[in-house]
């Protein structure tokens, strides 16, 4: 079918940040995840674990605890502030200083009326939740020593607080501590160290579960203030705790990377007397498990090794399906790389900086399987540090390599880039006022226009020229949706622009007729993860989080025949079961019927002229095809040409000279940059 | 492989001569694996703890009453159930001391048997064929019992595991009683033309089907498979059957015999003659039906009653005046275990081909021919008639040549019984040349066993050449002719023994050890197989060369190695000790060649070990010396393992060293003359272990070479060409 020259790039030093905390919203089935660098991510568990929203971090903000209150999201951090987020504009809405020093924990009561935060100075502060803000109500009795963990009783009248060496139970009404339960410091060598109660959970039957730094999980009777049982699960800290909704089981995470499940089981089969029993141990991580959530059928865990692991609890799973197998999420579900196809340049986006690289050149031609001699090495042209404290949320480089733009939540900057003999960069002054920040940036194919997706699903069109930048128009969706736009695609002929937002809407605008939006693609229930407009036929190709592929004819305003055929015949089971979303679409200029998709573990070329694979035929058939003769290949070939040679893909693009660029980030490279784990598993230990 | 272990007597059997049929009423399983309930023919029921050979409880019926069916243990209710005087059902528990105070119920028909299958209610079988559940019967003991069997039918045998029994008078019928829903099936048992009568029935239930084994008085064992879920058909059907085994029966009919299925492939039989033992001796045999081989046999003294039970790995056989318990073991039989662990893989290709014949077809063909060849049978009878007084060799020979192809096996017996030694050779040659390939194995097997039995009875008769020729055909194996190898040892015909060792794939470990013993003891023989001798000569010649080390192991290593407390003495003796690497061959070349054959036989360690213990200390020392010699030779000179010649491999040598040391370690430690040997062996082994460590290090570092290929992947940037199809 074709040979490709592949630039295999591994010099993108992308380093995800460790996971600090998480909170699962059961009603919306969304998981909010706080990372060490202050980034917040929201995963939609209904939609194939798609990373729906990312709120970029800020150097001055830390996220120590995250908490859903209905559909509102609050965090608190060591900067002493409680922050609520605007989930439509993906930025903090407001921050409120609690005046208690660094905040370690935040908890909301079951009624959703009050937030309690635990502070460094030993105070527990109650905040009343009002429709648009929160308001300080009062302090509970202040104690000595920091408050590291809090849990409300479901009645809302008591709070358990985990402190140093002790757990206290507070009566919310009076604010007094009613019980004081001392936690043992553990083995004799540790006597001098304080025992930190990392987590507490207050169950409805007045049981308190605590985990602490000496490796214990303890179950307390809060009504009497006595210890019921102790389970030693680790030699080091037990850092996280999550209780299932029905309170029949809980999981704890240790700093050795293990997750241990406990279940409330009858001592004898069928008996009435129940006890907490340690049942399962997983080791999903290599480092501290800092955050845990139990979501009914699975345990979600995250830690310093940066990956998010969704491990199914098979005893609670009835039918095996895509949703209840083990998932590991390593990479963001959006592209951090953009490619200047004409100039052979790559732009890498880090939270704090941008890097521009020029690809190398090879000498001669080779046959398939060869590694060519690199005549000219890749070259790092530029490293651009961002201004301000906000992390970069999106960036783009123009196809000609002459323009570069990035945005944070507070500012958007466009640069003119000249790389002849010397690299020079100049900031474009006097940007139009409308360009305050963007969720997504994109350049037109001829590099004459910049598209910036802004608040309320608006897309600004800016014309770029040497002399000035002019705001041409702002597209607004007819639907009035306020969800942020996360994908932009412009057609090669400069006529069409497609914008997809997190509300699964895809709007198509005509750049020649600015006044009226052209049309809206029928809404599909799953969020689009990648899209592109075909360079010749102007068909819009969309891939959704559930890996369905649609092709929509912009001109005819309807799905194409191929798209209907795909829907009629269905996609192959193995395709639908792939673990990571497709994050990029490109088209093969050599063959109009072919386009390329990639996810983390493969890229594939889909040939629309070939028959679709049915579930009976071999899906990964490249090796088989290789062994066949030319004629036989035709009869065995199907539309999906999968290539799994390149793993851990962050990006796959096609340059103008028709060579491919793959950007890989091997997990071993990420792991090698992590700090040493607490304990390494050695053979026979 | 199956094995019978040493048995022990559980209890005596008091059988009146009046009841010739049976020694005991029955042996039934109790609640624990280790307990059985023995019901004797008289008046007592006894519970035994088998491993202790101790009675745990015993109950007697009063004078004048008698037990008429074996007592069983009902696991459901935890009680024993027995029947006295055919109609009185008695139920009692452990703590009842006498029968008098126990529960009894009188029913209105004669009871034949009571069955107690595990986890189900006992079932009562009446003499006229009706079947009732025990609890249903006890609710109304006087309920009318229907008659299933007709007047002339009598229950002959009842199977324990499925409810089937058969009755026969002229014809034999098998009745199969099923429960849930209750139904009774009647099958007709074929008896064939020979009017063979079924002797013993054994049923096992596996995978929703009942496997019935039926032993006929003609010595044939048939298997029938009945589906448990089969459609119910009325009327009498013919029981489908397949022939599993056809056992040699001397005079045509067995009188009493019993068969018990041990597992899927193995079954135990009593009352069937051992294929190679002389008449008049009774054996308990384990046969493998998959390979049609005799797996184990044990001679039983005294008379056999044709009774046999098997519970939890033990066989219970009444014989003579005792009930003997014989533990057995059946490993799952596969070709690999059947042939042993070390099948010789270095033999030349052309030698290896052993024709595998389907015994079933052969045997069936044999039967057909047998029936067709009525003339042959007649002749045989007439010949035997006259053969009693006149040796009729010439005539017989003539007859042989003419009609051999028609009835081969029948005639072989005659030939060997009567013809002279000189004629045997020629006849056998003729037979061999005239027999078609698939038949050859059968013919040769019978021929060999008959020759051997004649040799055993007539000490002057020993056709060495013929036997060797038969072995050379590769159609004989040990299980086909178990006495051949022992006969060769007895006659000190070591060249034949060598042949057997080379060609038999299935020599039992006991026989291997007997050979080893004989070879180690004495040796005077000339005609060994030339290859093996030349191999040993080559090796001894190497040994006589000057002791230059060829393949790089440095003696310095050993000297470093010996830097322990007594280093000075070792150093002083060091040179001399070290030269022991060139030890002379402790045995003669021919003896060595024979020992090599032993080393190459297939064996299993666990079976070998007990027999190895029979060796005397002197033999062990000699054997170990030889093994050490071989080991050192192999180590010194890789070329010692000449590829073309039959020679033991290093692994085989090591195996035998280990087994021998295992078996005799305490003896060797105590023995002063073994001391030096053990020291040297240890020293050498230790140096080898060091060497292995070093090799491991080298391997470890070279292993990284493989990873080098991946390191090119670790480049930060490369330009590659790929092709998609």
């Amino acid at each position: 079918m074709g040979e490709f020259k592949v630039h295999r790039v591994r010099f993108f030093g992308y380093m995800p940040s460790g996971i600090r905390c998480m909170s699962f919203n059961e009603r919306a089935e969304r998981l909010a995840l706080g990372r060490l660098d202050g980034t917040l991510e929201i995963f939609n568990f209904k939609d194939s674990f798609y990373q729906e929203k990312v709120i970029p971090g800020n150097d001055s903000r830390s996220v120590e605890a995250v908490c859903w209150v209905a559909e509102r999201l609050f965090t608190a951090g060591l900067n002493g502030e409680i922050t609520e987020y605007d989930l439509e504009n993906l930025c903090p809405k407001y921050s409120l200083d609690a005046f208690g020093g660094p905040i370690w924990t935040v908890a909301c009561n079951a009624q959703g009326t009050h937030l309690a935060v635990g502070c460094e100075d030993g105070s527990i502060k109650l905040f009343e939740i009002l429709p648009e803000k929160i308001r300080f109500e009062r302090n509970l009795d202040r104690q000595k020593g920091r408050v590291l963990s809090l849990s409300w009783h479901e009645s809302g009248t008591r709070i358990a607080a985990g402190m140093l060496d002790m757990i206290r139970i507070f009566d919310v009404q009076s604010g007094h501590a009613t019980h004081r339960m001392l936690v043992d410091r553990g083995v004799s060598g540790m006597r001098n160290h304080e025992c930190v109660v990392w987590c507490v959970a207050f169950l409805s039957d007045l049981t308190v579960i605590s985990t602490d730094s000496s490796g214990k999980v303890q179950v307390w009777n809060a009504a009497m203030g006595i210890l019921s049982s102790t389970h030693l699960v680790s030699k080091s800290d037990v850092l996280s705790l999550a209780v299932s909704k029905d309170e029949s089981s809980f999981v704890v995470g240790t700093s050795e990377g293990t997750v241990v499940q406990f279940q409330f089981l009858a001592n004898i089969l069928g008996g009435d007397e129940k006890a907490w029993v340690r049942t399962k141990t997983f080791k999903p991580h290599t480092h501290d498990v800092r955050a845990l959530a139990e979501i009914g059928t699975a345990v979600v865990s995250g830690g310093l090794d940066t990956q998010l692991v969704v491990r199914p609890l098979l005893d609670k799973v009835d039918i095996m399906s895509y949703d209840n197998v083990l998932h590991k999420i390593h990479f963001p579900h959006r592209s951090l790389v953009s490619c200047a196809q004409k100039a052979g340049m790559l732009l890498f986006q880090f939270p704090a900086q941008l890097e521009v690289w020029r690809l190398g050149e090879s000498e001669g031609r080779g046959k398939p399987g060869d590694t060519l001699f690199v005549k000219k090495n890749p070259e790092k042209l530029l490293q651009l540090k961002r201004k301000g404290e906000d992390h970069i949320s999106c960036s783009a480089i123009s196809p000609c390599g002459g323009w570069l733009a990035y945005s944070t939540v507070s500012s958007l900057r466009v640069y003119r880039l000249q790389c002849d003999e010397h690299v020079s960069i100049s900031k474009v002054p006097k940007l139009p006022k409308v360009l305050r920040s963007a969720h997504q940036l994109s350049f037109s194919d001829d590099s004459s226009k910049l598209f910036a997706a802004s608040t309320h699903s608006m897309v600004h069109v800016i014309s770029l020229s040497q002399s000035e930048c002019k705001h041409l128009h702002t597209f607004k969706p007819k639907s009035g949706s306020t969800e942020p736009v996360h994908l932009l695609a412009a057609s090669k002929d400069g006529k069409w622009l497609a914008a997809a937002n997190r509300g699964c809407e895809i709007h198509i605008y005509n750049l020649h007729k600015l006044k009226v939006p052209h049309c809206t693609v029928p809404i599909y229930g799953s969020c689009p993860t990648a899209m592109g407009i075909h360079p010749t036929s102007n068909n819009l190709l969309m891939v959704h989080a559930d890996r369905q592929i649609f092709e929509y004819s912009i001109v005819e305003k309807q799905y194409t025949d191929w798209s209907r055929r795909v829907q009629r015949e269905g996609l192959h089971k193995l395709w639908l079961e792939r673990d990571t979303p497709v994050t990029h679409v490109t088209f093969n200029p050599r063959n109009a019927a072919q386009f390329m998709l990639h996810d983390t573990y493969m890229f594939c070329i889909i040939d629309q002229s070939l028959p679709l694979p049915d579930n009976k035929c071999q899906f990964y058939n490249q090796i088989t095809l290789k062994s066949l003769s030319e004629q036989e290949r035709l009869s065995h070939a199907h539309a999906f040409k999968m290539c799994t040679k390149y793993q851990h893909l962050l990006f796959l693009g096609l340059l103008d000279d028709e060579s491919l660029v793959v950007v890989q980030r091997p997990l071993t490279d990420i792991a090698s940059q992590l700090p040493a784990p607490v304990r390494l598993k050695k053979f026979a230990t | 492989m199956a094995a019978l272990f040493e048995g022990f007597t559980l209890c005596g059997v008091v059988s009146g001569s009046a009841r010739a049929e049976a020694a005991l009423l029955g042996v039934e399983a109790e609640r624990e694996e280790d307990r059985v309930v023995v019901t004797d023919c008289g008046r007592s029921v006894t519970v035994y703890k088998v491993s202790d050979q101790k009675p745990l409880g015993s109950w007697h019926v009063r004078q004048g009453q008698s037990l008429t069916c074996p007592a069983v243990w009902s696991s459901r209710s935890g009680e024993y159930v027995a029947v006295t005087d055919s109609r009185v059902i008695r139920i009692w528990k452990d703590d009842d001391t006498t029968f008098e105070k126990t529960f009894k119920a009188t029913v209105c028909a004669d009871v034949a048997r009571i069955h107690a299958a595990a986890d189900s209610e006992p079932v009562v079988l009446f003499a006229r064929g009706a079947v009732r559940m025990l609890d249903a019967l006890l609710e109304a003991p006087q309920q009318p019992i229907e008659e299933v069997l007709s007047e002339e039918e009598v229950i002959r045998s009842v199977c324990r595991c499925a409810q089937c029994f058969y009755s026969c008078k002229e014809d034999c019928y098998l009745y199969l009683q099923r429960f849930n829903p209750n139904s009774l099936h009647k099958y007709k048992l074929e008896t064939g033309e020979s009017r063979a009568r079924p002797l013993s029935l054994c049923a096992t239930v596996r995978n929703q089907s009942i496997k019935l084994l039926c032993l006929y008085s003609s010595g044939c064992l048939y298997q029938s498979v009945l589906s448990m879920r089969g459609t119910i058909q009325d009327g009498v059907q013919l029981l489908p059957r397949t022939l599993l085994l056809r056992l040699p029966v001397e005079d045509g009919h067995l009188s009493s015999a019993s068969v018990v299925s041990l597992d899927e492939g193995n079954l135990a039989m009593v009352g069937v003659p051992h294929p190679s033992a002389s008449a008049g001796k009774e054996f308990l045999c384990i046969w493998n039906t998959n390979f049609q081989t005799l797996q184990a046999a044990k001679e039983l003294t005294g008379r056999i009653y044709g009774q046999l039970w098997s519970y939890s790995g033990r066989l219970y056989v009444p014989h003579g005046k005792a009930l003997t318990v014989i533990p057995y073991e059946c490993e799952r039989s596969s070709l690999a275990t059947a042939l042993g662990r070390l099948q010789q893989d270095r033999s030349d290709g052309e030698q290896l081909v052993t024709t595998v014949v389907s015994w079933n077809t052969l045997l069936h063909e044999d039967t057909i021919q047998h029936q067709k060849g009525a003339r042959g049978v007649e002749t045989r009878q007439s010949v035997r008639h006259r053969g009693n007084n006149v040796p009729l060799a010439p005539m017989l020979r003539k007859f042989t040549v003419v009609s051999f192809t028609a009835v081969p096996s029948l005639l072989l017996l005659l030939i060997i019984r009567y013809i002279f030694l000189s004629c045997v050779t020629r006849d056998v040659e003729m037979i061999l040349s005239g027999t078609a390939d698939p038949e050859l194995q059968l013919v040769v097997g019978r021929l060999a066993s008959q020759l051997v039995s004649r040799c055993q009875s007539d000490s002057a008769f020993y056709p060495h050449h013929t036997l060797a020729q038969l072995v050379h055909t590769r159609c004989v194996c040990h299980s086909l002719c178990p006495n051949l190898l022992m006969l060769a040892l007895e006659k000190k015909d070591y060249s034949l023994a060598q042949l057997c060792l080379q060609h038999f794939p299935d020599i039992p470990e006991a026989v291997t050890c007997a050979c080893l013993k004989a070879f180690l003891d004495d040796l005077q023989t000339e005609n060994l197989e030339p290859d093996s001798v030349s191999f040993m000569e080559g090796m001894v010649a190497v040994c006589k060369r000057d002791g230059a080390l060829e393949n790089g192991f440095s003696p310095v290593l050993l000297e470093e190695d010996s830097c322990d407390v007594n280093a000075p003495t070792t150093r002083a003796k060091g040179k001399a000790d070290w030269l022991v690497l060139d030890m002379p061959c402790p045995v003669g070349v021919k003896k060595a060649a024979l020992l090599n054959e032993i080393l190459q036989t297939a064996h299993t360690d666990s079976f070998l070990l007990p027999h190895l213990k029979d060796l005397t200390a002197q033999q062990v020392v000699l054997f170990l010396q030889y093994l050490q010699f071989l080991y050192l030779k192999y180590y010194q000179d890789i070329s010692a393992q000449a590829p073309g010649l039959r020679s033991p491999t290093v692994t085989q040598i090591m195996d035998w060293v280990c087994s021998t040391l295992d078996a005799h370690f305490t003896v060797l430690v105590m023995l002063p003359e073994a001391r030096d040997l053990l020291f040297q062996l240890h020293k050498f082994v230790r140096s080898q272990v060091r060497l292995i460590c070093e090799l491991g290090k080298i391997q470890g570092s070279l292993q990284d070479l493989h990873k080098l290929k991946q390191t090119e992947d670790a480049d930060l940037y490369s330009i590659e060409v790929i092709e998609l199809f």
Side-chain angles (χ1 to χ4, degrees), chain B residues 232-249:
Chain B
I232 294 160
Q233 291 174 346
D234 289 334
V236 182
Q237 300 163 39
L238 199 61
L239 190 70
R241 62 177 192 178
T242 48
L243 182 66
L244 272 191
L245 279 177
R246 186 189 186 84
L247 300 169
V249 177

Side-chain angles (χ1 to χ4, degrees), chain B residues 146-345:
Chain B
E146 72 275 9
E147 296 208 339
V148 174
L149 304 182
S150 55
E151 276 302 316
E152 62 268 22
E153 285 180 318
V154 179
I155 294 178
R156 276 300 179 81
S157 175
V158 184
C159 269
R160 198 160 46 87
C161 147
Q163 298 296 328
C164 43
F165 52 93
Y166 73 87
S167 59
C168 78
K169 195 183 171 207
E170 282 302 305
D171 294 326
C172 294
Y173 293 99
L174 176 97
Y175 291 85
L176 178 68
Q177 172 81 39
R178 301 182 199 203
F179 299 101
N180 295 331
N182 270 316
S183 63
L184 186 68
H185 300 261
K186 188 174 179 184
Y187 296 94
K188 186 176 184 332
L189 290 175
E190 280 180 85
T191 49
E193 288 179 24
S194 57
R195 312 298 300 169
R197 172 167 76 78
L199 281 180
S200 171
L201 199 60
C202 166
T204 46
V205 180
R206 266 193 204 106
N207 301 336
Q208 302 295 328
S209 62
I210 304 171
K211 199 174 98 181
L212 277 173
L213 294 174
C214 188
L215 179 66
Y216 282 71
S217 57
S218 60
C220 296
L221 181 80
Y222 289 95
Q223 174 180 300
S224 313
V225 179
L226 296 171
S227 168
M228 298 255 277
R229 303 222 177 280
T231 51
I232 294 160
Q233 291 174 346
D234 289 334
V236 182
Q237 300 163 39
L238 199 61
L239 190 70
R241 62 177 192 178
T242 48
L243 182 66
L244 272 191
L245 279 177
R246 186 189 186 84
L247 300 169
V249 177
E250 281 288 317
D251 43 1
H253 280 283
L254 295 169
S255 54
S256 60
S258 186
V259 58
V260 167
S261 167
L262 302 180
D263 66 7
E264 261 177 78
N266 293 305
L267 45 91
M269 280 194 207
V270 72
V272 179
H274 191 281
S276 58
S278 55
K281 287 187 177 173
E282 298 288 357
F283 280 88
L284 169 68
C285 305
I286 295 183
W287 286 84
N288 185 313
T289 54
N290 296 336
F291 299 109
Q292 315 243 345
T293 48
L294 180 65
Q295 299 281 318
K298 196 170 205 70
E299 188 177 344
L300 301 172
T301 55
R303 89 171 255 237
I304 294 282
Y305 299 91
Q307 284 182 308
L308 180 64
W309 295 271
S310 158
Y311 298 107
S312 54
R314 296 190 181 102
L315 289 165
Y316 298 83
V317 203
H319 65 99
K321 296 201 160 154
L323 172 66
T324 298
V325 183
I326 302 171
Y328 68 90
E329 187 182 79
C330 289
E331 283 177 33
R332 198 181 158 75
S333 48
S334 63
L335 202 58
T337 55
L339 297 183
R341 185 159 61 93
L342 289 171
Q343 177 60 344
Q344 298 148 2
D345 50 351

Side-chain angles (χ1 to χ4, degrees), chain B residues 98-131:
Chain B
T98 59
F99 265 135
E100 300 318 313
K101 291 173 184 163
T102 58
F103 173 84
K104 62 178 181 181
T106 308
V107 294
C108 60
D110 284 358
V111 175
R113 284 287 286 271
I114 297 181
H115 291 284
D119 301 329
S120 63
E121 186 60 29
V123 174
V124 181
L125 168 68
F126 289 93
R128 300 314 309 160
V131 176

Side-chain angles (χ1 to χ4, degrees), chain A residues 2 4 6-8 10 360 369-370 372 622 641 645-646, chain B residues 712-725:
Chain A
F4 290 94
V6 181
H7 295 265
R8 186 174 192 176
R10 289 160 176 258
D370 282 357
L372 300 179
Q622 285 296 312
K641 304 183 179 308
K645 184 179 178 189
Y646 306 108
Chain B
E712 70 192 41
D713 283 358
D715 287 346
L716 288 180
Y717 182 71
S718 60
I719 300 177
E720 298 171 7
V721 179
I722 60 163
E723 187 176 17
L724 289 174
F725 300 99

